[in-house]
Amino acid sequence: MSRRAAAQISKLLVGQTGRRLFSTTTFTSANGASKILGAKFMNYGAPRAYVLEARYWSTVASESAREEKSAPKLGSGHENEDDRGGKVVVSSYWGVAPPKVTKEDGSPWRWNCFRPWETYEADTSIDVKKHHETKTFMDKFAYWTVQGLKYPTYLFFQRRHMCHAMLLETVAAVPGMVGGMLLHCKSLRRFEHSGGWIKALLEEAENERMHLMTFLELSQPEWYERALVFAVQGVFFNAYFLAYVLSPKLAHRIVGYLEEEAVNSYTEFLIDLEKGLVENRPAPAIAIDYWRLPPNSTLKDVVTVIRADEAHHRDLNHFASDIQCQGHELKEYPAPLGYH
């Protein structure tokens, strides 16, 4: 095929595709971007150096986009007021309005981050003094890794339990998400079930995040604490991801010891609450609804149920590590679901 024939074919193709070659935006004006792009493509037969200009025109708002901007902006609820002050009912994408969620007493449910059927009563009778003995080299490595991470945080926060708890929860919510994500990918690759462990680990991550949301109702971190969380989370996420890929049983053992330290930290929090060193303020509404606490609950009650959650996470991760240390896979043993 000659060069002249190739140029004619390319001119024909570009001319037929026109403005749709580099942009998905529809232009209604005949003198707009489509005319400019079409002329330059037709003259040269190929996009060449005009790709940048084509990309520029691909970001120009179309008529439909400009019309969408004039529509009323939606708020966080299911209803919104338009420019004339009227109510605009927003239904779901399949045309059915979402049902109204209420409490058992008929009052409206105020939380979008969790629903009434996701609430539970924490098992506060769980043993909070249990400790997994370090028998193997892996156990000792995991234990002393956690101990090495513990002391800098204690020196930084000292007796500021609220700030310490918030930092602790930003870290504790990472392992469940990483482990659940990797088990999810493994299940897809191998075309096999997970024994419920994906759900168990993701529930753990969500529960830890709810701990953080509860403490945020009581205190707000300073700017340097936010910067510390940003740095620690970035390092810990990648380190734990690598550890779980290399040795899941080691990763779960590390989390088991990390949760043991969380239980000890909340025990010290409760001791200072009982001594009056920390104000025992009323429990936030989100905690009362999430853990089904009595309406007159206090911060002490909230810390007690959170400590019980951490003890459950401790046992779950030590159990997961024991399964794999004995040469089995997690899918062979059902995950302890149903606590949250």
Side-chain angles (χ1 to χ4, degrees), residues 90-304:
V90 182
S91 60
S92 55
Y93 65 89
W94 59 85
V96 180
K100 292 184 178 180
V101 182
T102 60
K103 297 183 181 179
E104 294 180 355
D105 57 3
S107 59
W109 185 258
R110 58 182 297 186
W111 313 107
N112 290 329
C113 52
F114 65 99
R115 295 302 188 180
W117 51 86
E118 297 173 334
T119 62
Y120 65 99
E121 295 180 5
D123 181 15
T124 55
S125 64
I126 192 170
D127 186 3
V128 296
K129 297 182 179 180
K130 187 187 298 184
H131 169 67
H132 186 276
E133 298 295 334
T134 55
K135 299 178 181 179
T136 65
F137 173 78
M138 185 196 72
D139 293 343
K140 295 178 180 179
F141 178 81
Y143 176 78
W144 288 109
T145 298
V146 173
Q147 294 300 308
L149 297 173
K150 178 185 73 174
Y151 290 109
T153 58
Y154 277 17
L155 291 175
F156 182 80
F157 291 103
Q158 297 181 1
R159 310 302 293 183
R160 294 182 297 151
H161 296 290
M162 197 71 69
C163 298
H164 188 191
M166 284 192 290
L167 176 67
L168 181 66
E169 299 301 343
T170 60
V171 174
V174 170
M177 182 60 65
V178 172
M181 175 187 67
L182 291 177
L183 286 181
H184 175 77
C185 294
K186 179 180 178 181
S187 175
L188 298 178
R189 288 195 310 270
R190 296 189 176 184
F191 303 94
E192 63 184 17
H193 293 284
S194 68
W197 283 95
I198 296 174
K199 184 177 181 180
L201 293 177
L202 294 181
E203 282 184 351
E204 175 187 323
E206 174 63 14
N207 182 248
E208 298 284 9
R209 192 186 66 84
M210 287 303 300
H211 294 174
L212 176 62
M213 297 299 105
T214 300
F215 285 121
L216 286 176
E217 296 290 327
L218 300 171
S219 177
Q220 290 293 324
E222 300 291 340
W223 67 268
Y224 56 88
E225 293 170 341
R226 292 178 180 270
L228 180 62
V229 168
F230 188 85
V232 170
Q233 188 183 79
V235 174
F236 184 75
F237 179 92
N238 290 282
Y240 188 79
F241 181 91
L242 181 61
Y244 205 98
V245 170
L246 297 177
S247 177
K249 57 185 177 183
L250 172 63
H252 282 293
R253 187 70 76 201
I254 290 176
V255 177
Y257 287 125
L258 182 66
E259 298 293 354
E260 287 186 12
E261 293 302 327
V263 172
N264 296 335
S265 176
Y266 285 119
T267 300
E268 295 180 2
F269 198 166
L270 288 172
I271 292 174
D272 285 356
L273 281 169
E274 293 174 352
K275 291 181 177 179
L277 300 178
V278 180
E279 180 185 359
N280 190 21
R281 64 186 74 177
I286 189 173
I288 293 175
D289 288 340
Y290 185 68
W291 283 284
R292 302 177 186 174
L293 297 174
N296 58 345
S297 298
T298 62
L299 177 59
K300 180 181 177 181
D301 300 317
V302 175
V303 175
T304 300

Side-chain angles (χ1 to χ4, degrees), residues 39-97:
K40 291 184 177 178
F41 285 144
M42 290 299 292
N43 289 337
Y44 288 87
R48 290 191 182 179
Y50 294 95
V51 173
L52 292 177
E53 189 168 356
R55 296 300 301 165
Y56 166 76
W57 281 108
S58 68
T59 59
V60 178
S62 63
E63 291 294 335
S64 59
R66 286 193 289 270
E67 291 175 0
E68 290 177 0
K69 288 184 178 180
S70 63
K73 296 181 179 180
L74 303 180
S76 58
H78 299 302
E79 292 185 353
N80 195 60
E81 293 186 359
D82 58 12
D83 295 337
R84 295 172 293 181
K87 290 287 185 177
V88 178
V89 179
V90 182
S91 60
S92 55
Y93 65 89
W94 59 85
V96 180

